[in-house]
Amino acid sequence: MTEVRKTSFVAALNAQPVRPVQWVMVATCMLVLIADGMDLQLLGIVAPLVIDAFDTDRATFGYAMGAALIGFGLGSWAGGALGDKIGRRWTLVIAALVFSLATVGAGSATGVWSMAGWRVIGGLGFGAAYANALAMAGEWLPDRWRPIAISTLSVGTPIGGSIVGWFGPDLAAAYGWEGTFVTIGLGTSVMAVVILLLLRDSPSFLMALGKREAAQKNARIVLDEEVELIPDPHATDTAEGVQIGVFHPSNKRLNIGVGLAFAASALVAYSILSWSTVLLTERGFTLETAGNVVGIVGITSMIGSIIVGEAMRRLGSKRVMLFISVALVAVLLGLGWAVEHLPEDAGATERMAVTWLAGGAGALFSAGIAGIYVLMAYGYPQSCRSAGIGFGIFMSRAGAIGGSMFGGALLALGGTSSVPFFAVQVVAAVLIGVAAFVVDRHVPPLRG
């Protein structure tokens, strides 16, 4: 009788080609994040219509804009912890139902505070979906593909934002902003069924929980040979064992650096994504052309997020984070100058400059966010990976809430000037570089 080889699941994956079923699982996680992004970014796209309908000002409406981010932060941390406890699969099902049905409910909002309530509920689902989808997808891939896959998956939200940026205004014209929320919410609710059909918890995760039999069963889905699984090793392993929590002392600098970089990147991202339509329509853009700017930002975000995974794999995460910081500062200074000096009768050239500078910012802030996801998937051990990613997302909500909720107040502070709005974003871009020196568990550069 042939002796069954003992190996960890990741080691077994590293020794064989990637099977189609693994890519199906990754693609399903991507669809979850696209649906998440559609629901999350919808309010920013139709914001001018909702502000008029509620007869409110931009600063007050900012509370509704930022409400989903509050729920997102709470949902990412709580949902990540839930995913580590009951499994990523069932947590994703719950998350998809929560955010899609809350989007349907938002269509019945009659004022800023009722809209904010629905958005907080939706945010709980947004955050839980993000933490668990990224953790699950990475666990089904070998080391050589994980950084690229994680960074690519992080474009799910920008893709969703681009989709609603393009057809959201048309839906709003046909059915009103209320009907747009209902239509998109019902459409994204289908993801709950897709998750149940196509996703399974990874053997690595199940082994970390001590569920050996279930791990062996799921391993047979993708492995070429029968093996006896052992837990996946990690840099945090100690003589006391491999089960550690997010706040284990070994994670201290990783937690601080991730929180700082994530908050800074998210502030820039949500300032631009949430307030671009308001800022640009006040400077002569139509809602359609302003929506197209958000669509371009979504496309460049995809490009930046995909590239950063390969860049971190080859160059290491520290060098890449420093580059993103410096480049984002330069682009934001250029975008702020272009918007500030945009004439009332701006021609195609001036508008195109604003559009592509915004696109450049989108590529860089999304690369920053995607890079942090890669860093978290590498840095946190299996026993607390969903919770670790959830914690990172939770910490990022400070910046995201600041960008979404107080972006309107910064615009109001500047009056006819956008200087305060962009000045805060430039400071945030600098902090990304600072965080690169705080983190002590960087993705190493490729050797040889």
Side-chain angles (χ1 to χ4, degrees):
M1 181 184 293
T2 304
E3 184 177 353
V4 177
R5 182 168 63 96
K6 292 184 178 181
T7 181
S8 71
F9 182 64
V10 170
L13 290 182
N14 288 340
Q16 67 175 50
V18 179
R19 287 187 171 185
V21 67
Q22 292 168 263
W23 292 121
V24 169
M25 292 188 190
V26 173
T28 302
C29 290
M30 172 63 91
L31 287 175
V32 173
L33 297 180
I34 290 173
D36 181 300
M38 289 175 63
D39 287 24
L40 178 61
Q41 298 297 333
L42 178 57
L43 183 58
I45 297 300
V46 299
L49 302 178
V50 184
I51 289 173
D52 288 343
F54 290 170
D55 191 24
T56 188
D57 59 82
R58 295 174 300 175
T60 302
F61 190 71
Y63 293 106
M65 292 282 275
L69 279 301
I70 295 174
F72 199 120
L74 296 173
S76 62
W77 198 349
L82 183 65
D84 285 336
K85 185 176 181 61
I86 71 170
R88 330 288 200 212
R89 179 178 177 236
W90 280 106
T91 304
L92 279 172
V93 170
I94 295 169
L97 289 174
V98 169
F99 72 67
S100 60
L101 296 180
T103 298
V104 173
S108 65
T110 57
V112 170
W113 299 113
S114 60
M115 176 64 79
W118 283 112
R119 296 291 285 174
V120 168
I121 295 171
L124 295 173
F126 298 145
Y130 227 110
N132 285 279
L134 289 174
M136 174 177 273
E139 290 163 2
W140 280 104
L141 291 174
D143 290 335
R144 63 186 179 276
W145 280 106
R146 192 172 300 117
I148 299 172
I150 294 296
S151 66
T152 301
L153 282 168
S154 71
V155 308
T157 291
I159 290 174
S162 295
I163 291 171
V164 296
W166 280 316
F167 72 72
D170 292 335
L171 280 177
Y175 305 109
W177 65 266
E178 302 95 335
T180 304
F181 273 95
V182 172
T183 300
I184 291 178
L186 289 176
T188 55
S189 67
V190 175
M191 285 309 306
V193 177
V194 175
I195 292 165
L196 280 175
L197 292 175
L198 299 180
L199 292 183
R200 297 292 183 273
D201 284 314
S202 75
S204 294
F205 166 71
L206 293 170
M207 286 295 294
L209 294 186
K211 298 182 178 181
R212 179 176 298 275
E213 185 176 343
Q216 293 285 167
K217 178 182 177 181
N218 286 0
R220 295 186 188 104
I221 298 173
V222 298
L223 295 185
D224 294 335
E225 62 175 320
E226 185 71 24
V227 299
E228 181 181 344
L229 292 177
I230 60 175
D232 288 296
H234 190 268
T236 58
D237 291 352
T238 66
E240 290 74 31
V242 300
Q243 297 287 331
I244 70 169
V246 174
F247 298 110
H248 188 274
S250 65
N251 290 331
K252 182 178 179 180
R253 287 185 61 175
L254 178 65
N255 289 339
I256 294 172
V258 160
L260 181 62
F262 222 159
S265 300
L267 185 146
V268 178
Y270 282 90
S271 294
I272 292 176
L273 291 171
S274 297
W275 291 102
S276 287
T277 54
V278 174
L279 177 65
L280 296 178
T281 52
E282 290 182 346
R283 284 164 171 76
F285 283 63
T286 64
L287 181 60
E288 181 180 1
T289 55
N292 287 339
V293 172
V294 177
I296 292 294
V297 171
I299 292 174
T300 57
S301 294
M302 292 166 52
I303 296 171
S305 296
I306 293 170
I307 291 174
V308 78
E310 178 65 9
M312 283 192 166
R313 188 177 77 90
R314 291 182 177 275
L315 303 176
S317 54
K318 187 173 184 178
R319 292 178 186 174
V320 174
M321 286 177 68
L322 290 172
F323 171 81
I324 290 171
S325 177
V326 172
L328 187 55
V329 167
V331 171
L332 287 173
L333 288 172
L335 178 60
W337 188 91
V339 171
E340 188 70 12
H341 294 86
L342 194 67
E344 293 183 4
D345 57 345
T349 301
E350 290 92 348
R351 293 175 189 271
M352 188 62 67
V354 169
T355 298
W356 287 110
L357 282 167
L364 290 164
F365 68 62
S366 289
I369 291 171
I372 297 164
Y373 284 125
V374 173
L375 185 59
M376 290 190 294
Y378 171 83
Y380 287 109
Q382 186 62 243
S383 60
C384 65
R385 185 162 296 156
S386 280
I389 293 173
F391 170 75
I393 296 172
F394 175 83
M395 295 302 294
S396 80
R397 295 310 90 180
I401 291 168
S404 294
M405 188 174 290
F406 301 117
L410 288 171
L411 291 174
L413 177 65
T416 58
S417 173
S418 60
V419 169
F421 181 75
F422 285 106
V424 171
Q425 294 179 55
V426 169
V427 172
V430 172
L431 292 177
I432 297 172
V434 174
F437 290 100
V438 176
V439 172
D440 62 345
R441 202 178 297 156
H442 278 286
V443 178
L446 188 66
R447 302 290 182 185

